[in-house]
Amino acid sequence: MEADPAPSSTPPPSSPAPAASPSRHPPGEEGGGAERVEVEEYVDPPSPDCCGGADPDHAPPPSPKGEEPVVSAEEEQAAVAGGEGEALRSFLEEFGDQGDDSLVPSPKLKQINTPDRLAALRFLGGKYNSLLERYKQQVAKCAEECAPRYDGLKKKYADECAERRRLYNELIELRGNIRVFCRCRPLSTAEISNGCSSIVQIDPSHETELQFVPSDKDRKAFKFDHVFGPSDNQETVFAESLPVVRSVMDGFNVCIFAYGQTGTGKTFTMEGIPEDRGVNYRALEELFRLSEERSSSVAYTFAVSILEVYNEKIRDLLDESSEQTGRKLDIKQTADGTQEVAGLIEAPIYTIDGVWEKLKVGAKNRSVGATSANELSSRSHSLVKVTVRSEHLVTGQKWRSHIWLVDLAGSERVNKTEVEGDRLKESQFINKSLSALGDVISALASKNAHIPYRNSKLTHLLQSSLGGDCKTLMFVQISPSSADSGETLCSLNFASRVRAIDHGPARKQADPAETFKLKQMTEKIRHEEKENAKLLESLQLTQLKYASRENVIKTLQEKIREAEQTSKTYQQRVRELENELANEKKAARDTARSTKPPLAPMRQRPPLGRIGNHIPPKAPLRLRLSKAPTIQNKENIPVMLNKGSSGADTSKAVAGKARRVSLTPVIRHIPLQPKRRSSLAVLPTQREQLSIFPDKRSVSRLSHIQMPRRSIATFNSIPATPLAAAAHKQVDGTPEARQLRRIEFSSSKFRSPPALARFNSRNNALSPQQKLRLASGSGNASKICFSVQKRVILGSPAPVKSSLLSGTGIFNPALREKMMAAKIGNAQRVFNTNRRKSVL
Ligand SMILES: Nc1ncnc2c1ncn2[C@@H]1O[C@H](COP(=O)(O)OP(=O)(O)OP(=O)(O)O)[C@@H](O)[C@H]1O
């Protein structure tokens, strides 16, 4: 091999050439071919950017700093001193200092004599090694720099591929997941010789339309996804089928089947002939090609099964053992809803040659027989199943899909094909199963609730391919012969029905193991969702309870507020009443002071027992008639509402006559609410408390003791009550009685029952001792509050029924005793009405 003797490749001499040394080699011994080859291989530059000096026109880059020279000075000197010739010296001088990237033109090397050529070659060898090392470093550096960009591009490519697949599947789905291609074979020589004409017209410009013209008058157009005419070859047919075939590599289930009358080319389309292979082989070839193409991102494995449905029995065509005949294969439904033949051989395939071998085995074992219509007529439905298992190398996602390649047995007219015996039986089974297929297609097309898949083995096997979530491609094979017009029309009508089926979108098939995992996860999620729902329910219940309790609390708070308000009102009222009482007390004290001489000191007073029936001096009556209606219910306010028979206000007259006797220094009015009757009780002094309540605890809780009502001095009732009025009537009914002067001390607030309130002065006048006792309690006036009502009848008292007076009020001996105990005690209000009643 000669290097180009380009003049430009020879650099100009950088220094005058030294004197040529005599050559020790004979002139005839020039470099051999092998050596030349070596030299030329050394200088071959890998890339312009790595070796700028590859082009001799360009200046060679300087040697890197610190880099070892290609040939050391010692070596060079040794070479020269060793007797190399002038040519070598000149060569070394010329190229030795040109850096590592310079090229050595062959002619120069040729000029070196043989003995010196070795040294020159050694020099070049060293230079080559150095260059190689540099190239390696640069390549490594380049790879390092490009790695991120490479990864980015790789990812982009993967994304683009995924997008392409997605769009592609979308396109297929838009076109319909059941696609129907029509293929019309050419007229056979026999048909031509029989004078048959073509009744099918196909316009190449309308590749989806076909005209069926059985006669001049009849013409019917059929539309399919694609129509192939007699001139279309296997390659063209498969090219249109490619998209569907490729779907299986993306995880979709696919079914391609050929249907048609016997002898129309079903087997030709699916299996083909050795020199012109059909869809089965081409499809598998494409699968392997795609597997190779995607090997960097997805790992694919393939397995193939071949079976036939012969006389409604399933036969494994890959099982060549003698036991095959006795083995019964059944269709089972898997967990993911697809149909599987249990016990079917699934042969793994690794190369397309392996596929072809398997297909040949299957074709060899298939039941064929000669009929009048076809020499090698298929007497069974042949099904090739290719299972594709995929695993994405980046995401780890796995899926499993399959493609069914089905060559159906031909529908045939029994009388036309003139079959008998076994052929007749086969024909009947074939027609029966094709009829079942027609029923399934009709049911699917009319969207029936029930699809009779199980009426035949064929439809049962293809259940998920016909009505499931896979992509289906049907080839309807027709004969152009006018002799087959009837069968052709039937086939075209059937294909049209298939095309009308509204198939749902295909679903990507996951690997069963993955599906199981997903199912478990789904189950877990469902369970957790249930738990969550329960918790949510309980939370809502708790919230409701909380809300209702809040309402109750609000209501209670409202009530408390109202109670506080009421309490405040009561307190205010009590304060007012206390003020009023204090004023009245003061007024009464003033009145007593002004009308009554001051009492002598206790020591100077005679004992009460010797006073006898002392009538206290007259005290001016405090008539509060103007206030009577409003303070009617108050104690110690004389209310005179009785009217005389004359119609005049008797109360005025009586008031005029009545004389108020102040038994105590303080007369206290206790205006309280009508319902909450209260009274004042006389509480004993501490000394008396001890005598009355021997229990210390009782003493300490004295404020809680409710004194018996008998300790309250009650003298009269309000005359306005009906019973009191009756009593008055008895007294006031007589003229004498009318002249009686009455002094009534009545409590408008705490009315005593009239039956207990009436008494006359003769029977009921206080004894001086009693008065003294009462008076002596004035020291506790501020604490004692009596509810006193008394009527003092002046003059001759009318007889009063003893029943009205007996055993009640201050005249009851027992009560008197109590009052004695209470006379100097503290006052206590008793608000219990019942207790008061019981006392009275
Ligand atoms: N498109 C075609 N081009 C050329 N020859 C064809 C074509 N289609 C079919 N043939 C030929 O027609 C003959 C019958 O074909 P084939 O056996 O495939 O029919 P078939 O439908 O499978 O019949 P059967 O249902 O009886 O099995 C074959 O010899 C085949 O080579």
Side-chain angles (χ1 to χ4, degrees):
M1 188 187 286
E2 295 290 328
D4 295 334
S8 59
S9 64
T10 308
S14 56
S15 57
S21 59
S23 175
R24 289 179 294 182
H25 300 287
E29 286 182 54
E30 286 194 355
E35 285 174 7
R36 281 203 301 274
V37 168
E38 266 185 44
V39 170
E40 284 184 355
E41 279 178 354
Y42 291 160
V43 297
D44 187 20
S47 67
D49 58 329
C50 291
C51 182
D55 185 356
D57 290 339
H58 295 92
S63 297
K65 261 188 178 180
E67 196 174 293
E68 288 291 318
V70 176
V71 179
S72 64
E74 292 78 27
E75 279 180 337
E76 196 176 327
Q77 281 175 6
V80 175
E84 283 89 354
E86 188 56 33
L88 177 60
R89 189 187 303 275
S90 160
F91 175 80
L92 289 175
E93 279 178 1
E94 189 175 348
F95 299 108
D97 59 350
Q98 283 192 3
D100 301 329
D101 299 329
S102 61
L103 284 175
V104 179
S106 298
K108 281 276 178 190
L109 200 60
K110 282 180 189 168
Q111 291 169 12
I112 301 171
N113 291 328
T114 307
D116 298 334
R117 196 170 288 167
L118 186 63
L121 286 174
R122 276 183 58 211
F123 167 78
L124 289 174
K127 198 165 185 173
Y128 167 79
N129 287 335
S130 168
L131 283 173
L132 192 67
E133 197 57 40
R134 281 188 63 198
Y135 291 154
K136 276 182 184 171
Q137 283 173 5
Q138 283 181 1
V139 166
K141 195 179 166 193
C142 227
E144 199 178 325
E145 283 172 3
C146 292
R149 198 165 159 239
Y150 171 73
D151 288 342
L153 285 171
K154 201 173 159 185
K155 189 175 175 302
K156 207 174 169 187
Y157 172 73
D159 291 348
E160 288 298 321
C161 283
E163 181 64 8
R164 184 194 60 77
R165 279 197 295 274
R166 191 186 66 76
L167 289 172
Y168 186 73
N169 285 321
E170 216 168 80
L171 179 69
I172 295 292
E173 277 162 25
L174 283 173
R175 282 185 188 173
N177 281 318
I178 285 191
R179 307 188 71 198
V180 180
F181 291 169
C182 179
R183 189 175 190 187
C184 180
R185 66 162 171 81
L187 281 167
S188 66
T189 45
E191 286 165 343
I192 294 168
S193 61
N194 286 343
C196 296
S197 60
S198 175
I199 51 165
V200 176
Q201 291 178 5
I202 299 166
D203 183 359
S205 59
H206 292 88
E207 51 188 22
T208 59
E209 202 173 301
L210 172 145
Q211 298 285 336
F212 176 69
V213 195
S215 65
D216 293 341
K217 292 178 184 174
D218 293 335
R219 176 177 288 266
K220 196 171 181 185
F222 289 92
K223 274 205 165 190
F224 299 105
D225 292 295
H226 207 284
V227 176
F228 300 101
S231 56
D232 287 322
N233 60 18
Q234 301 280 61
E235 197 179 342
T236 312
V237 171
F238 182 71
E240 285 299 315
S241 319
L242 255 180
V244 181
V245 173
R246 281 177 183 160
S247 295
V248 77
M249 298 295 273
D250 298 329
F252 292 91
N253 286 340
V254 172
C255 176
I256 301 175
F257 70 97
Y259 173 91
Q261 180 198 352
T262 182
T264 50
K266 296 183 293 296
T267 310
F268 183 82
T269 299
M270 296 307 293
E271 287 181 14
I273 49 176
E275 56 274 16
D276 199 3
R277 286 170 186 168
V279 171
N280 291 3
Y281 181 84
R282 289 174 193 269
L284 280 155
E285 203 175 35
E286 177 64 14
L287 297 188
F288 275 100
R289 194 192 67 75
L290 281 174
S291 167
E292 190 63 32
E293 190 181 290
R294 300 178 187 176
S295 59
S296 60
S297 56
V298 188
Y300 291 99
T301 54
F302 302 97
V304 67
S305 305
I306 304 173
L307 67 144
E308 71 171 358
V309 180
Y310 177 74
N311 290 352
E312 279 300 286
K313 281 184 193 142
I314 296 171
R315 285 181 65 225
D316 190 344
L317 297 183
L318 290 182
D319 189 358
E320 295 184 281
S321 65
S322 55
E323 299 152 12
Q324 158 79 355
T325 37
R327 205 151 62 98
K328 196 184 170 196
L329 297 171
D330 275 330
I331 304 165
K332 299 256 169 70
Q333 187 157 324
T334 59
D336 55 339
T338 55
Q339 285 67 41
E340 299 274 349
V341 179
L344 193 71
I345 290 175
E346 202 176 71
I349 46 172
Y350 306 102
T351 58
I352 188 64
D353 293 336
V355 172
W356 185 239
E357 288 303 315
K358 296 294 175 195
L359 291 178
K360 274 202 293 190
V361 171
K364 189 185 85 184
N365 292 331
R366 190 179 179 189
S367 307
V368 289
T371 63
S372 63
N374 189 358
E375 259 184 50
L376 283 172
S377 179
S378 309
R379 309 311 294 163
S380 65
H381 307 297
S382 158
L383 298 100
V384 176
K385 183 186 181 186
V386 182
T387 306
V388 182
R389 288 186 178 83
S390 328
E391 182 179 1
H392 201 281
L393 297 175
V394 179
T395 61
Q397 192 187 0
K398 290 179 183 175
W399 60 93
R400 193 184 73 166
S401 51
H402 60 250
I403 177 169
W404 280 108
L405 301 163
V406 185
D407 175 17
L408 296 175
S411 57
E412 56 197 45
R413 285 188 184 164
V414 175
N415 53 356
K416 191 178 175 183
T417 48
E418 296 167 359
V419 288
E420 52 186 18
D422 283 350
R423 295 285 98 85
L424 179 63
K425 193 182 165 192
E426 287 163 4
S427 292
Q428 285 167 347
F429 274 113
I430 290 166
N431 287 343
K432 194 183 160 200
S433 60
L434 288 175
S435 171
L437 179 65
D439 293 342
V440 166
I441 297 294
S442 295
L444 282 169
S446 27
K447 295 189 175 175
N448 283 0
H450 173 68
I451 313 292
Y453 288 114
R454 298 196 177 206
N455 281 0
S456 78
K457 288 271 191 301
L458 174 71
T459 49
H460 196 188
L461 264 173
L462 297 179
Q463 181 174 339
S464 59
S465 302
L466 292 170
D469 46 14
C470 80
K471 299 183 177 181
T472 308
L473 172 60
M474 171 184 170
F475 282 102
V476 56
Q477 299 284 150
I478 55 169
S479 157
S481 171
S482 53
D484 301 322
S485 62
E487 288 87 348
T488 302
L489 187 60
C490 282
S491 297
L492 289 172
N493 284 330
F494 178 80
S496 296
R497 283 214 306 277
V498 171
R499 194 164 178 259
I501 293 174
D502 189 8
H503 215 298
R507 187 167 55 90
K508 198 168 177 174
Q509 304 297 314
D511 188 62
E514 294 286 309
T515 314
F516 182 70
K517 267 190 214 168
L518 284 173
K519 270 185 186 170
Q520 276 188 328
M521 280 172 69
T522 314
E523 201 58 43
K524 199 178 166 191
I525 288 167
R526 213 171 284 156
H527 178 72
E528 280 173 2
E529 271 178 357
K530 271 185 193 172
E531 290 291 314
N532 281 349
K534 274 185 195 170
L535 285 173
L536 196 69
E537 204 175 313
S538 121
L539 181 71
Q540 281 171 350
L541 212 65
T542 315
Q543 278 176 344
L544 275 177
K545 275 185 190 170
Y546 177 74
S548 98
R549 277 180 194 173
E550 263 194 343
N551 278 341
V552 170
I553 288 167
K554 269 183 194 169
T555 315
L556 287 172
Q557 280 174 345
E558 196 62 36
K559 279 184 182 173
I560 288 167
R561 266 198 295 279
E562 279 173 16
E564 279 175 358
Q565 194 60 37
T566 313
S567 169
K568 274 181 191 170
T569 313
Y570 281 149
Q571 282 172 3
Q572 181 68 27
R573 183 69 182 143
V574 166
R575 271 196 296 277
E576 283 172 17
L577 290 172
E578 278 174 355
N579 287 341
E580 200 178 327
L581 183 64
N583 290 339
E584 284 190 9
K585 267 165 62 182
K586 194 181 172 193
R589 208 178 295 132
D590 291 348
T591 311
R593 245 185 242 130
S594 62
T595 56
K596 201 172 73 175
L599 289 172
M602 281 295 280
R603 266 178 270 141
Q604 294 171 5
R605 284 188 216 165
L608 281 174
R610 276 184 277 159
I611 291 173
N613 286 332
H614 171 73
I615 298 170
K618 276 185 183 176
L621 276 173
R622 279 183 72 231
L623 296 177
R624 305 182 61 173
L625 294 175
S626 60
K627 288 188 177 178
T630 53
I631 55 172
Q632 195 176 357
N633 292 330
K634 292 182 182 176
E635 280 187 351
N636 298 330
I637 301 299
V639 179
M640 298 168 189
L641 299 173
N642 285 345
K643 292 190 176 183
S645 56
S646 61
D649 193 349
T650 321
S651 64
K652 283 182 184 175
V654 173
K657 289 174 188 173
R659 190 164 66 95
R660 179 168 179 154
V661 176
S662 175
L663 295 180
T664 63
V666 177
I667 299 170
R668 198 165 181 179
H669 303 276
I670 306 172
L672 289 174
Q673 294 296 327
K675 282 183 182 176
R676 301 184 61 190
R677 304 186 66 182
S678 65
S679 64
L680 297 175
V682 179
L683 297 179
T685 60
Q686 196 169 357
R687 184 166 51 82
E688 287 165 340
Q689 283 166 11
L690 293 172
S691 64
I692 295 166
F693 307 106
D695 189 0
K696 265 190 172 182
R697 278 182 301 175
S698 303
V699 174
S700 68
R701 296 177 60 83
L702 195 59
S703 63
H704 296 278
I705 293 167
Q706 294 178 354
M707 294 303 291
R709 294 301 301 162
R710 285 188 294 275
S711 64
I712 298 170
T714 304
F715 295 93
N716 209 347
S717 66
I718 299 168
T721 59
L723 199 54
H728 276 289
K729 219 174 183 180
Q730 286 179 359
V731 177
D732 300 338
T734 59
E736 297 83 8
R738 284 196 201 103
Q739 292 172 3
L740 288 177
R741 295 180 65 199
R742 293 178 186 173
I743 297 175
E744 288 185 6
F745 296 88
S746 67
S747 164
S748 59
K749 177 76 183 168
F750 307 105
R751 295 181 182 185
S752 302
L756 305 176
R758 193 169 297 277
F759 59 94
N760 58 38
S761 63
R762 190 180 61 184
N763 293 332
N764 302 315
L766 290 174
S767 67
Q769 197 175 7
Q770 288 167 335
K771 288 172 187 171
L772 188 59
R773 281 174 188 165
L774 288 168
S776 66
S778 63
N780 297 320
S782 61
K783 296 174 186 175
I784 301 169
C785 180
F786 283 102
S787 173
V788 179
Q789 183 180 26
K790 182 181 179 183
R791 176 186 298 161
V792 178
I793 303 170
L794 299 175
S796 163
V800 178
K801 281 186 181 176
S802 60
S803 62
L804 293 172
L805 304 170
S806 61
T808 57
I810 199 166
F811 306 102
N812 185 337
L815 179 59
R816 251 196 327 269
E817 285 302 312
K818 297 276 181 175
M819 286 181 68
M820 288 301 289
K823 67 185 172 61
I824 51 173
N826 294 326
Q828 183 188 13
R829 290 177 185 177
V830 179
F831 296 97
N832 190 331
T833 312
N834 291 333
R835 189 175 293 279
R836 181 175 176 85
K837 277 180 185 169
S838 71
V839 167
L840 293 172

